[in-house]
Structures are given as C-alpha cells and as structure tokens.
Amino acid sequence: MRDLAARMQAGRDLRSKALTFETLQIGDTEHGQIIDRIEAGDAAGASAAMQMHSTPAACNLNRILDLPMLEEVPT
C-alpha cells in the first residue's frame, strides 16, 4: 500500500509542476471547445473534443501509476 501512496504523491507532485500558465491556457481553450460543441448540439464533436482533452491526462496517470496504457487495456 505504501508503494501506491508514494506513486500517488509522485503524481500530485508532477501535476503541481505541470500546472503552468501555458498548460492552464490550453486546458481553458480545450474546455471552451467542448462547451462550444455541446452548445451547437454536436454530440460527436463534443465527445471527440472531450477525448482529446482527457486522453493525455489519463495516459500520464497510467504512466505514473505503472498501469497499462489506454490502448493496452482490453475493451
């Protein structure tokens, strides 16, 4: 359990270092794109925008936690 706690802390540390003004701007832009597509009634576009926004974060967490990457996870 300690190993998991250490990996989780490493992830939190990495996240705090990664939250620069530039990355916050990118996230804000991506959120705007998702909202714009939802407001336009473009469900497929909103889904694609959300996936483009969340996939890098999921991959980074998998790497930090030493889990299989998304493409390796059975569907």
Side-chain angles (χ1 to χ4, degrees):
M1 212 45 171
R2 266 194 230 207
D3 187 43
L4 177 59
R7 291 187 301 185
M8 293 296 290
Q9 184 60 50
R12 285 190 291 275
D13 293 345
L14 180 63
R15 177 174 161 74
S16 68
K17 290 177 187 173
L19 288 178
T20 64
F21 182 68
E22 182 181 339
T23 59
L24 290 174
Q25 281 184 309
I26 291 168
D28 191 45
T29 300
E30 291 172 348
H31 288 160
Q33 292 169 348
I34 296 163
I35 292 167
D36 289 346
R37 289 182 176 140
I38 291 169
E39 288 176 341
D42 179 7
S47 178
M50 186 63 197
Q51 223 168 0
M52 290 204 45
H53 172 68
S54 60
T55 298
C59 288
N60 288 337
L61 283 173
N62 286 347
R63 193 174 307 107
I64 290 165
L65 297 174
D66 197 28
L67 298 172
M69 296 308 285
L70 292 177
E71 56 273 355
E72 298 172 4
V73 176
T75 57

Short mmCIF file of all heavy atoms in Angstrom, two decimals:
data_model
loop_
_atom_site.label_atom_id
_atom_site.label_comp_id
_atom_site.label_asym_id
_atom_site.label_seq_id
_atom_site.Cartn_x
_atom_site.Cartn_y
_atom_site.Cartn_z
N MET A 1 0.82 -1.19 0.00
CA MET A 1 0.00 0.00 0.00
C MET A 1 0.87 1.26 0.00
O MET A 1 0.49 2.25 -0.56
CB MET A 1 -0.90 -0.07 1.23
CG MET A 1 -2.24 0.56 1.07
SD MET A 1 -2.99 0.12 -0.49
CE MET A 1 -4.56 0.77 -0.26
N ARG A 2 2.03 1.18 0.66
CA ARG A 2 2.93 2.33 0.68
C ARG A 2 3.40 2.69 -0.71
O ARG A 2 3.56 3.86 -1.04
CB ARG A 2 4.15 2.04 1.56
CG ARG A 2 4.00 2.49 2.96
CD ARG A 2 5.35 2.45 3.58
NE ARG A 2 5.26 1.73 4.83
CZ ARG A 2 6.07 1.94 5.82
NH1 ARG A 2 7.06 2.80 5.69
NH2 ARG A 2 5.94 1.29 6.94
N ASP A 3 3.64 1.67 -1.53
CA ASP A 3 4.10 1.91 -2.90
C ASP A 3 3.05 2.72 -3.66
O ASP A 3 3.38 3.66 -4.38
CB ASP A 3 4.37 0.58 -3.60
CG ASP A 3 5.01 0.78 -4.96
OD1 ASP A 3 5.92 1.63 -5.07
OD2 ASP A 3 4.60 0.09 -5.90
N LEU A 4 1.79 2.36 -3.50
CA LEU A 4 0.71 3.10 -4.17
C LEU A 4 0.66 4.54 -3.66
O LEU A 4 0.52 5.48 -4.43
CB LEU A 4 -0.64 2.41 -3.95
CG LEU A 4 -1.84 3.13 -4.55
CD1 LEU A 4 -1.68 3.31 -6.06
CD2 LEU A 4 -3.12 2.36 -4.23
N ALA A 5 0.78 4.72 -2.37
CA ALA A 5 0.76 6.07 -1.79
C ALA A 5 1.92 6.90 -2.33
O ALA A 5 1.75 8.08 -2.65
CB ALA A 5 0.82 6.00 -0.27
N ALA A 6 3.08 6.29 -2.47
CA ALA A 6 4.25 7.00 -3.00
C ALA A 6 4.02 7.38 -4.45
O ALA A 6 4.36 8.50 -4.88
CB ALA A 6 5.50 6.15 -2.86
N ARG A 7 3.44 6.48 -5.23
CA ARG A 7 3.16 6.78 -6.63
C ARG A 7 2.10 7.87 -6.76
O ARG A 7 2.18 8.73 -7.62
CB ARG A 7 2.75 5.53 -7.39
CG ARG A 7 3.92 4.55 -7.54
CD ARG A 7 3.59 3.40 -8.42
NE ARG A 7 2.45 2.66 -7.89
CZ ARG A 7 1.98 1.55 -8.39
NH1 ARG A 7 2.52 1.03 -9.46
NH2 ARG A 7 0.95 0.93 -7.85
N MET A 8 1.10 7.83 -5.89
CA MET A 8 0.07 8.87 -5.92
C MET A 8 0.68 10.23 -5.58
O MET A 8 0.36 11.23 -6.20
CB MET A 8 -1.06 8.53 -4.94
CG MET A 8 -1.88 7.31 -5.34
SD MET A 8 -2.76 7.52 -6.88
CE MET A 8 -3.99 8.70 -6.39
N GLN A 9 1.57 10.25 -4.60
CA GLN A 9 2.23 11.51 -4.24
C GLN A 9 3.09 12.00 -5.39
O GLN A 9 3.13 13.20 -5.68
CB GLN A 9 3.08 11.35 -2.97
CG GLN A 9 3.71 12.64 -2.49
CD GLN A 9 2.67 13.71 -2.16
OE1 GLN A 9 1.72 13.45 -1.44
NE2 GLN A 9 2.85 14.91 -2.70
N ALA A 10 3.78 11.10 -6.05
CA ALA A 10 4.59 11.48 -7.21
C ALA A 10 3.71 12.10 -8.29
O ALA A 10 4.09 13.08 -8.94
CB ALA A 10 5.34 10.27 -7.76
N GLY A 11 2.53 11.54 -8.46
CA GLY A 11 1.58 12.09 -9.44
C GLY A 11 1.12 13.48 -9.05
O GLY A 11 1.04 14.37 -9.90
N ARG A 12 0.83 13.68 -7.78
CA ARG A 12 0.42 15.02 -7.32
C ARG A 12 1.55 16.02 -7.50
O ARG A 12 1.33 17.16 -7.90
CB ARG A 12 -0.04 14.95 -5.86
CG ARG A 12 -1.41 14.32 -5.70
CD ARG A 12 -1.95 14.49 -4.30
NE ARG A 12 -1.22 13.71 -3.32
CZ ARG A 12 -1.45 12.44 -3.02
NH1 ARG A 12 -2.41 11.78 -3.63
NH2 ARG A 12 -0.75 11.82 -2.10
N ASP A 13 2.78 15.59 -7.19
CA ASP A 13 3.93 16.47 -7.36
C ASP A 13 4.11 16.85 -8.83
O ASP A 13 4.34 18.02 -9.15
CB ASP A 13 5.21 15.81 -6.84
CG ASP A 13 5.20 15.61 -5.33
OD1 ASP A 13 4.35 16.23 -4.65
OD2 ASP A 13 6.03 14.82 -4.85
N LEU A 14 3.99 15.87 -9.71
CA LEU A 14 4.13 16.13 -11.14
C LEU A 14 3.04 17.07 -11.62
O LEU A 14 3.30 18.00 -12.37
CB LEU A 14 4.07 14.81 -11.92
CG LEU A 14 4.21 14.91 -13.43
CD1 LEU A 14 5.58 15.47 -13.79
CD2 LEU A 14 4.00 13.55 -14.06
N ARG A 15 1.82 16.86 -11.16
CA ARG A 15 0.70 17.72 -11.57
C ARG A 15 0.95 19.16 -11.14
O ARG A 15 0.74 20.08 -11.92
CB ARG A 15 -0.60 17.20 -10.99
CG ARG A 15 -1.79 18.07 -11.32
CD ARG A 15 -3.09 17.42 -10.82
NE ARG A 15 -4.17 18.34 -10.71
CZ ARG A 15 -4.85 18.85 -11.73
NH1 ARG A 15 -4.53 18.52 -12.95
NH2 ARG A 15 -5.84 19.68 -11.54
N SER A 16 1.42 19.35 -9.92
CA SER A 16 1.64 20.73 -9.46
C SER A 16 2.74 21.41 -10.26
O SER A 16 2.67 22.60 -10.53
CB SER A 16 1.95 20.76 -7.97
OG SER A 16 3.20 20.18 -7.71
N LYS A 17 3.74 20.66 -10.69
CA LYS A 17 4.80 21.23 -11.52
C LYS A 17 4.30 21.51 -12.93
O LYS A 17 4.77 22.43 -13.58
CB LYS A 17 5.99 20.27 -11.59
CG LYS A 17 6.74 20.15 -10.29
CD LYS A 17 7.85 19.13 -10.41
CE LYS A 17 8.49 18.90 -9.06
NZ LYS A 17 9.45 17.81 -9.09
N ALA A 18 3.35 20.71 -13.41
CA ALA A 18 2.87 20.84 -14.78
C ALA A 18 1.85 21.96 -14.94
O ALA A 18 1.57 22.38 -16.05
CB ALA A 18 2.25 19.52 -15.24
N LEU A 19 1.27 22.43 -13.84
CA LEU A 19 0.25 23.46 -13.92
C LEU A 19 0.87 24.84 -14.09
O LEU A 19 0.91 25.64 -13.19
CB LEU A 19 -0.66 23.42 -12.69
CG LEU A 19 -1.62 22.24 -12.62
CD1 LEU A 19 -2.43 22.30 -11.34
CD2 LEU A 19 -2.55 22.23 -13.82
N THR A 20 1.37 25.07 -15.26
CA THR A 20 1.93 26.38 -15.58
C THR A 20 0.85 27.22 -16.25
O THR A 20 -0.22 26.73 -16.59
CB THR A 20 3.11 26.22 -16.56
OG1 THR A 20 2.61 25.68 -17.79
CG2 THR A 20 4.19 25.30 -15.99
N PHE A 21 1.13 28.48 -16.44
CA PHE A 21 0.18 29.36 -17.11
C PHE A 21 -0.17 28.81 -18.49
O PHE A 21 -1.32 28.80 -18.90
CB PHE A 21 0.76 30.77 -17.22
CG PHE A 21 -0.18 31.75 -17.85
CD1 PHE A 21 -1.34 32.14 -17.19
CD2 PHE A 21 0.08 32.27 -19.10
CE1 PHE A 21 -2.22 33.04 -17.77
CE2 PHE A 21 -0.79 33.17 -19.68
CZ PHE A 21 -1.94 33.56 -19.01
N GLU A 22 0.83 28.31 -19.20
CA GLU A 22 0.61 27.78 -20.55
C GLU A 22 -0.33 26.57 -20.53
O GLU A 22 -1.26 26.49 -21.32
CB GLU A 22 1.94 27.40 -21.19
CG GLU A 22 1.79 26.88 -22.61
CD GLU A 22 3.14 26.49 -23.23
OE1 GLU A 22 4.18 26.98 -22.75
OE2 GLU A 22 3.12 25.72 -24.17
N THR A 23 -0.10 25.63 -19.61
CA THR A 23 -0.96 24.45 -19.57
C THR A 23 -2.37 24.82 -19.12
O THR A 23 -3.34 24.21 -19.58
CB THR A 23 -0.39 23.33 -18.68
OG1 THR A 23 -0.23 23.83 -17.35
CG2 THR A 23 0.93 22.81 -19.19
N LEU A 24 -2.49 25.80 -18.24
CA LEU A 24 -3.82 26.24 -17.83
C LEU A 24 -4.55 26.89 -19.01
O LEU A 24 -5.76 26.70 -19.17
CB LEU A 24 -3.73 27.20 -16.65
CG LEU A 24 -3.29 26.57 -15.33
CD1 LEU A 24 -3.09 27.65 -14.28
CD2 LEU A 24 -4.29 25.54 -14.85
N GLN A 25 -3.84 27.64 -19.85
CA GLN A 25 -4.45 28.24 -21.03
C GLN A 25 -4.93 27.16 -22.00
O GLN A 25 -6.01 27.26 -22.56
CB GLN A 25 -3.46 29.15 -21.75
CG GLN A 25 -3.30 30.50 -21.11
CD GLN A 25 -2.37 31.36 -21.93
OE1 GLN A 25 -1.27 30.95 -22.29
NE2 GLN A 25 -2.82 32.56 -22.23
N ILE A 26 -4.13 26.13 -22.20
CA ILE A 26 -4.51 25.03 -23.09
C ILE A 26 -5.77 24.37 -22.57
O ILE A 26 -6.71 24.12 -23.31
CB ILE A 26 -3.36 24.01 -23.23
CG1 ILE A 26 -2.20 24.63 -24.01
CG2 ILE A 26 -3.84 22.73 -23.92
CD1 ILE A 26 -0.92 23.84 -23.96
N GLY A 27 -5.81 24.08 -21.27
CA GLY A 27 -6.99 23.45 -20.67
C GLY A 27 -8.22 24.32 -20.83
O GLY A 27 -9.31 23.83 -21.14
N ASP A 28 -8.06 25.63 -20.65
CA ASP A 28 -9.19 26.54 -20.79
C ASP A 28 -9.69 26.55 -22.23
O ASP A 28 -10.89 26.53 -22.49
CB ASP A 28 -8.78 27.94 -20.35
CG ASP A 28 -9.96 28.87 -20.22
OD1 ASP A 28 -10.98 28.45 -19.65
OD2 ASP A 28 -9.86 30.01 -20.70
N THR A 29 -8.76 26.55 -23.18
CA THR A 29 -9.12 26.51 -24.60
C THR A 29 -9.87 25.21 -24.91
O THR A 29 -10.89 25.23 -25.60
CB THR A 29 -7.87 26.63 -25.48
OG1 THR A 29 -7.23 27.87 -25.20
CG2 THR A 29 -8.20 26.54 -26.95
N GLU A 30 -9.36 24.10 -24.41
CA GLU A 30 -10.00 22.81 -24.67
C GLU A 30 -11.40 22.76 -24.04
O GLU A 30 -12.33 22.26 -24.67
CB GLU A 30 -9.14 21.67 -24.14
CG GLU A 30 -7.85 21.50 -24.93
CD GLU A 30 -6.89 20.51 -24.32
OE1 GLU A 30 -7.08 20.10 -23.14
OE2 GLU A 30 -5.92 20.15 -25.00
N HIS A 31 -11.55 23.29 -22.84
CA HIS A 31 -12.87 23.32 -22.22
C HIS A 31 -13.83 24.15 -23.06
O HIS A 31 -14.99 23.78 -23.24
CB HIS A 31 -12.79 23.88 -20.80
CG HIS A 31 -12.15 22.96 -19.82
ND1 HIS A 31 -11.63 23.40 -18.64
CD2 HIS A 31 -11.94 21.63 -19.85
CE1 HIS A 31 -11.12 22.37 -17.98
NE2 HIS A 31 -11.30 21.28 -18.70
N GLY A 32 -13.34 25.28 -23.58
CA GLY A 32 -14.17 26.12 -24.43
C GLY A 32 -14.63 25.39 -25.68
O GLY A 32 -15.79 25.53 -26.10
N GLN A 33 -13.74 24.59 -26.27
CA GLN A 33 -14.10 23.83 -27.46
C GLN A 33 -15.18 22.79 -27.14
O GLN A 33 -16.11 22.59 -27.92
CB GLN A 33 -12.87 23.14 -28.04
CG GLN A 33 -11.87 24.12 -28.63
CD GLN A 33 -10.55 23.48 -28.97
OE1 GLN A 33 -10.26 22.35 -28.59
NE2 GLN A 33 -9.71 24.22 -29.70
N ILE A 34 -15.06 22.15 -26.00
CA ILE A 34 -16.06 21.16 -25.59
C ILE A 34 -17.41 21.84 -25.40
O ILE A 34 -18.43 21.37 -25.93
CB ILE A 34 -15.62 20.44 -24.29
CG1 ILE A 34 -14.34 19.63 -24.53
CG2 ILE A 34 -16.74 19.55 -23.75
CD1 ILE A 34 -13.61 19.23 -23.27
N ILE A 35 -17.42 22.93 -24.68
CA ILE A 35 -18.67 23.66 -24.41
C ILE A 35 -19.28 24.18 -25.70
O ILE A 35 -20.50 24.07 -25.91
CB ILE A 35 -18.42 24.80 -23.40
CG1 ILE A 35 -18.08 24.19 -22.03
CG2 ILE A 35 -19.63 25.73 -23.31
CD1 ILE A 35 -17.52 25.17 -21.04
N ASP A 36 -18.46 24.73 -26.60
CA ASP A 36 -18.97 25.22 -27.88
C ASP A 36 -19.68 24.11 -28.65
O ASP A 36 -20.75 24.33 -29.24
CB ASP A 36 -17.84 25.80 -28.74
CG ASP A 36 -17.30 27.11 -28.21
OD1 ASP A 36 -17.95 27.73 -27.33
OD2 ASP A 36 -16.21 27.52 -28.67
N ARG A 37 -19.11 22.93 -28.66
CA ARG A 37 -19.70 21.82 -29.41
C ARG A 37 -20.99 21.33 -28.75
O ARG A 37 -21.94 20.96 -29.44
CB ARG A 37 -18.67 20.71 -29.58
CG ARG A 37 -17.60 21.18 -30.56
CD ARG A 37 -16.55 20.15 -30.84
NE ARG A 37 -15.64 20.68 -31.86
CZ ARG A 37 -14.35 20.51 -31.83
NH1 ARG A 37 -13.78 19.84 -30.86
NH2 ARG A 37 -13.59 21.02 -32.78
N ILE A 38 -21.01 21.34 -27.43
CA ILE A 38 -22.24 20.96 -26.72
C ILE A 38 -23.34 21.97 -27.05
O ILE A 38 -24.47 21.58 -27.39
CB ILE A 38 -22.00 20.88 -25.20
CG1 ILE A 38 -21.10 19.69 -24.87
CG2 ILE A 38 -23.35 20.78 -24.45
CD1 ILE A 38 -20.61 19.67 -23.45
N GLU A 39 -23.01 23.25 -26.97
CA GLU A 39 -24.00 24.29 -27.25
C GLU A 39 -24.50 24.23 -28.69
O GLU A 39 -25.65 24.57 -28.96
CB GLU A 39 -23.42 25.67 -26.95
CG GLU A 39 -23.27 25.94 -25.46
CD GLU A 39 -22.60 27.26 -25.14
OE1 GLU A 39 -21.93 27.84 -26.04
OE2 GLU A 39 -22.73 27.71 -23.99
N ALA A 40 -23.65 23.78 -29.61
CA ALA A 40 -24.04 23.66 -31.01
C ALA A 40 -24.85 22.39 -31.27
O ALA A 40 -25.32 22.18 -32.39
CB ALA A 40 -22.80 23.69 -31.90
N GLY A 41 -25.00 21.55 -30.25
CA GLY A 41 -25.74 20.30 -30.43
C GLY A 41 -24.93 19.24 -31.16
O GLY A 41 -25.49 18.28 -31.69
N ASP A 42 -23.61 19.40 -31.18
CA ASP A 42 -22.72 18.48 -31.88
C ASP A 42 -22.18 17.45 -30.88
O ASP A 42 -21.07 17.59 -30.35
CB ASP A 42 -21.58 19.28 -32.52
CG ASP A 42 -20.57 18.42 -33.26
OD1 ASP A 42 -20.80 17.20 -33.42
OD2 ASP A 42 -19.54 18.99 -33.70
N ALA A 43 -22.98 16.41 -30.65
CA ALA A 43 -22.60 15.40 -29.66
C ALA A 43 -21.30 14.69 -30.04
O ALA A 43 -20.43 14.47 -29.20
CB ALA A 43 -23.72 14.38 -29.47
N ALA A 44 -21.17 14.33 -31.31
CA ALA A 44 -19.96 13.62 -31.75
C ALA A 44 -18.73 14.53 -31.61
O ALA A 44 -17.66 14.09 -31.17
CB ALA A 44 -20.11 13.15 -33.19
N GLY A 45 -18.88 15.80 -31.97
CA GLY A 45 -17.77 16.74 -31.84
C GLY A 45 -17.40 16.98 -30.38
O GLY A 45 -16.22 17.07 -30.04
N ALA A 46 -18.42 17.07 -29.51
CA ALA A 46 -18.15 17.26 -28.08
C ALA A 46 -17.43 16.05 -27.51
O ALA A 46 -16.49 16.18 -26.72
CB ALA A 46 -19.46 17.51 -27.34
N SER A 47 -17.86 14.87 -27.93
CA SER A 47 -17.23 13.65 -27.45
C SER A 47 -15.77 13.59 -27.90
O SER A 47 -14.88 13.26 -27.11
CB SER A 47 -17.99 12.43 -27.97
OG SER A 47 -17.36 11.24 -27.57
N ALA A 48 -15.53 13.92 -29.16
CA ALA A 48 -14.16 13.90 -29.68
C ALA A 48 -13.29 14.94 -28.97
O ALA A 48 -12.14 14.65 -28.61
CB ALA A 48 -14.16 14.17 -31.19
N ALA A 49 -13.85 16.13 -28.73
CA ALA A 49 -13.10 17.18 -28.04
C ALA A 49 -12.78 16.75 -26.60
O ALA A 49 -11.69 17.00 -26.10
CB ALA A 49 -13.88 18.49 -28.05
N MET A 50 -13.74 16.11 -25.95
CA MET A 50 -13.52 15.66 -24.57
C MET A 50 -12.45 14.57 -24.53
O MET A 50 -11.60 14.55 -23.64
CB MET A 50 -14.84 15.14 -23.98
CG MET A 50 -14.75 14.77 -22.54
SD MET A 50 -14.34 16.24 -21.56
CE MET A 50 -13.79 15.48 -20.06
N GLN A 51 -12.48 13.69 -25.51
CA GLN A 51 -11.47 12.63 -25.55
C GLN A 51 -10.08 13.22 -25.79
O GLN A 51 -9.11 12.79 -25.16
CB GLN A 51 -11.81 11.62 -26.64
CG GLN A 51 -11.60 10.23 -26.16
CD GLN A 51 -12.19 9.20 -27.07
OE1 GLN A 51 -12.77 9.48 -28.10
NE2 GLN A 51 -12.03 7.97 -26.69
N MET A 52 -9.97 14.19 -26.68
CA MET A 52 -8.67 14.82 -26.93
C MET A 52 -8.18 15.55 -25.69
O MET A 52 -6.98 15.64 -25.45
CB MET A 52 -8.78 15.79 -28.11
CG MET A 52 -8.97 15.06 -29.41
SD MET A 52 -8.46 15.91 -30.88
CE MET A 52 -6.90 16.60 -30.49
N HIS A 53 -9.10 16.05 -24.88
CA HIS A 53 -8.74 16.76 -23.66
C HIS A 53 -8.31 15.80 -22.55
O HIS A 53 -7.34 16.05 -21.84
CB HIS A 53 -9.93 17.60 -23.20
CG HIS A 53 -9.74 18.24 -21.87
ND1 HIS A 53 -8.82 19.25 -21.64
CD2 HIS A 53 -10.36 18.02 -20.68
CE1 HIS A 53 -8.89 19.61 -20.37
NE2 HIS A 53 -9.81 18.88 -19.77
N SER A 54 -9.01 14.69 -22.41
CA SER A 54 -8.78 13.81 -21.26
C SER A 54 -7.76 12.70 -21.51
O SER A 54 -7.16 12.20 -20.56
CB SER A 54 -10.09 13.20 -20.79
OG SER A 54 -10.68 12.43 -21.82
N THR A 55 -7.53 12.31 -22.75
CA THR A 55 -6.61 11.21 -23.02
C THR A 55 -5.19 11.46 -22.53
O THR A 55 -4.59 10.59 -21.90
CB THR A 55 -6.64 10.84 -24.52
OG1 THR A 55 -7.96 10.40 -24.85
CG2 THR A 55 -5.65 9.73 -24.84
N PRO A 56 -4.60 12.64 -22.78
CA PRO A 56 -3.23 12.85 -22.27
C PRO A 56 -3.15 12.73 -20.74
O PRO A 56 -2.19 12.14 -20.22
CB PRO A 56 -2.89 14.28 -22.72
CG PRO A 56 -3.75 14.50 -23.92
CD PRO A 56 -5.03 13.77 -23.63
N ALA A 57 -4.14 13.24 -20.04
CA ALA A 57 -4.13 13.13 -18.57
C ALA A 57 -4.23 11.68 -18.14
O ALA A 57 -3.53 11.24 -17.22
CB ALA A 57 -5.27 13.95 -17.97
N ALA A 58 -5.10 10.92 -18.80
CA ALA A 58 -5.25 9.50 -18.46
C ALA A 58 -3.95 8.74 -18.72
O ALA A 58 -3.54 7.91 -17.91
CB ALA A 58 -6.41 8.89 -19.24
N CYS A 59 -3.32 9.02 -19.83
CA CYS A 59 -2.05 8.35 -20.16
C CYS A 59 -0.97 8.71 -19.13
O CYS A 59 -0.20 7.83 -18.70
CB CYS A 59 -1.59 8.73 -21.56
SG CYS A 59 -2.58 7.98 -22.86
N ASN A 60 -0.91 9.97 -18.74
CA ASN A 60 0.08 10.38 -17.74
C ASN A 60 -0.17 9.68 -16.41
O ASN A 60 0.78 9.23 -15.76
CB ASN A 60 0.06 11.90 -17.55
CG ASN A 60 0.66 12.62 -18.72
OD1 ASN A 60 1.46 12.06 -19.47
ND2 ASN A 60 0.29 13.87 -18.89
N LEU A 61 -1.42 9.59 -15.99
CA LEU A 61 -1.74 8.89 -14.74
C LEU A 61 -1.37 7.41 -14.83
O LEU A 61 -0.82 6.84 -13.88
CB LEU A 61 -3.22 9.03 -14.39
CG LEU A 61 -3.62 10.37 -13.82
CD1 LEU A 61 -5.14 10.44 -13.68
CD2 LEU A 61 -2.97 10.61 -12.48
N ASN A 62 -1.67 6.79 -15.94
CA ASN A 62 -1.32 5.38 -16.12
C ASN A 62 0.19 5.18 -16.02
O ASN A 62 0.66 4.22 -15.41
CB ASN A 62 -1.83 4.86 -17.45
CG ASN A 62 -3.33 4.65 -17.45
OD1 ASN A 62 -3.97 4.67 -16.41
ND2 ASN A 62 -3.90 4.47 -18.62
N ARG A 63 0.94 6.10 -16.62
CA ARG A 63 2.40 6.00 -16.57
C ARG A 63 2.90 6.17 -15.14
O ARG A 63 3.73 5.41 -14.65
CB ARG A 63 3.02 7.07 -17.48
CG ARG A 63 4.48 6.87 -17.74
CD ARG A 63 5.06 7.85 -18.76
NE ARG A 63 4.31 7.89 -20.01
CZ ARG A 63 3.51 8.90 -20.40
NH1 ARG A 63 3.37 9.98 -19.64
NH2 ARG A 63 2.88 8.86 -21.54
N ILE A 64 2.36 7.16 -14.42
CA ILE A 64 2.77 7.43 -13.05
C ILE A 64 2.45 6.24 -12.15
O ILE A 64 3.24 5.84 -11.30
CB ILE A 64 2.09 8.70 -12.51
CG1 ILE A 64 2.65 9.93 -13.22
CG2 ILE A 64 2.25 8.83 -11.00
CD1 ILE A 64 1.81 11.17 -13.05
N LEU A 65 1.27 5.66 -12.35
CA LEU A 65 0.82 4.55 -11.50
C LEU A 65 1.28 3.20 -12.01
O LEU A 65 0.95 2.17 -11.45
CB LEU A 65 -0.71 4.57 -11.38
CG LEU A 65 -1.27 5.82 -10.71
CD1 LEU A 65 -2.79 5.81 -10.78
CD2 LEU A 65 -0.79 5.93 -9.28
N ASP A 66 2.05 3.21 -13.10
CA ASP A 66 2.58 1.98 -13.70
C ASP A 66 1.45 1.04 -14.10
O ASP A 66 1.50 -0.16 -13.84
CB ASP A 66 3.56 1.30 -12.75
CG ASP A 66 4.45 0.29 -13.46
OD1 ASP A 66 4.69 0.46 -14.68
OD2 ASP A 66 4.88 -0.68 -12.82
N LEU A 67 0.42 1.60 -14.74
CA LEU A 67 -0.72 0.82 -15.23
C LEU A 67 -0.60 0.69 -16.75
O LEU A 67 0.14 1.44 -17.38
CB LEU A 67 -2.03 1.53 -14.88
CG LEU A 67 -2.30 1.69 -13.39
CD1 LEU A 67 -3.53 2.58 -13.18
CD2 LEU A 67 -2.49 0.35 -12.72
N PRO A 68 -1.35 -0.24 -17.34
CA PRO A 68 -1.29 -0.35 -18.80
C PRO A 68 -1.77 0.94 -19.45
O PRO A 68 -2.64 1.63 -18.93
CB PRO A 68 -2.26 -1.49 -19.12
CG PRO A 68 -2.60 -2.13 -17.84
CD PRO A 68 -2.26 -1.18 -16.73
N MET A 69 -1.19 1.26 -20.57
CA MET A 69 -1.62 2.43 -21.32
C MET A 69 -3.00 2.16 -21.89
O MET A 69 -3.41 1.02 -22.03
CB MET A 69 -0.62 2.77 -22.43
CG MET A 69 0.76 3.16 -21.88
SD MET A 69 0.75 4.45 -20.64
CE MET A 69 0.45 5.87 -21.65
N LEU A 70 -3.73 3.21 -22.24
CA LEU A 70 -5.11 3.07 -22.68
C LEU A 70 -5.27 2.08 -23.83
O LEU A 70 -6.18 1.28 -23.83
CB LEU A 70 -5.67 4.43 -23.10
CG LEU A 70 -5.86 5.43 -21.98
CD1 LEU A 70 -6.36 6.76 -22.54
CD2 LEU A 70 -6.82 4.91 -20.94
N GLU A 71 -4.38 2.12 -24.81
CA GLU A 71 -4.51 1.23 -25.95
C GLU A 71 -4.23 -0.22 -25.58
O GLU A 71 -4.58 -1.12 -26.32
CB GLU A 71 -3.64 1.68 -27.12
CG GLU A 71 -2.18 1.84 -26.81
CD GLU A 71 -1.81 3.22 -26.26
OE1 GLU A 71 -2.66 4.12 -26.19
OE2 GLU A 71 -0.66 3.39 -25.89
N GLU A 72 -3.65 -0.46 -24.41
CA GLU A 72 -3.35 -1.82 -23.97
C GLU A 72 -4.48 -2.40 -23.12
O GLU A 72 -4.50 -3.59 -22.85
CB GLU A 72 -2.06 -1.85 -23.15
CG GLU A 72 -0.84 -1.40 -23.94
CD GLU A 72 0.39 -1.25 -23.05
OE1 GLU A 72 0.32 -1.57 -21.85
OE2 GLU A 72 1.41 -0.79 -23.57
N VAL A 73 -5.41 -1.57 -22.70
CA VAL A 73 -6.49 -2.04 -21.83
C VAL A 73 -7.52 -2.76 -22.67
O VAL A 73 -7.98 -2.24 -23.69
CB VAL A 73 -7.16 -0.85 -21.09
CG1 VAL A 73 -8.34 -1.31 -20.26
CG2 VAL A 73 -6.13 -0.15 -20.22
N PRO A 74 -7.89 -4.00 -22.29
CA PRO A 74 -8.89 -4.73 -23.08
C PRO A 74 -10.24 -4.02 -23.05
O PRO A 74 -10.61 -3.43 -22.05
CB PRO A 74 -8.98 -6.09 -22.39
CG PRO A 74 -8.12 -6.03 -21.19
CD PRO A 74 -7.41 -4.72 -21.16
N THR A 75 -10.95 -4.07 -24.17
CA THR A 75 -12.26 -3.44 -24.25
C THR A 75 -13.37 -4.46 -24.15
O THR A 75 -13.18 -5.61 -24.29
CB THR A 75 -12.40 -2.65 -25.57
OG1 THR A 75 -12.17 -3.53 -26.65
CG2 THR A 75 -11.45 -1.49 -25.59
#
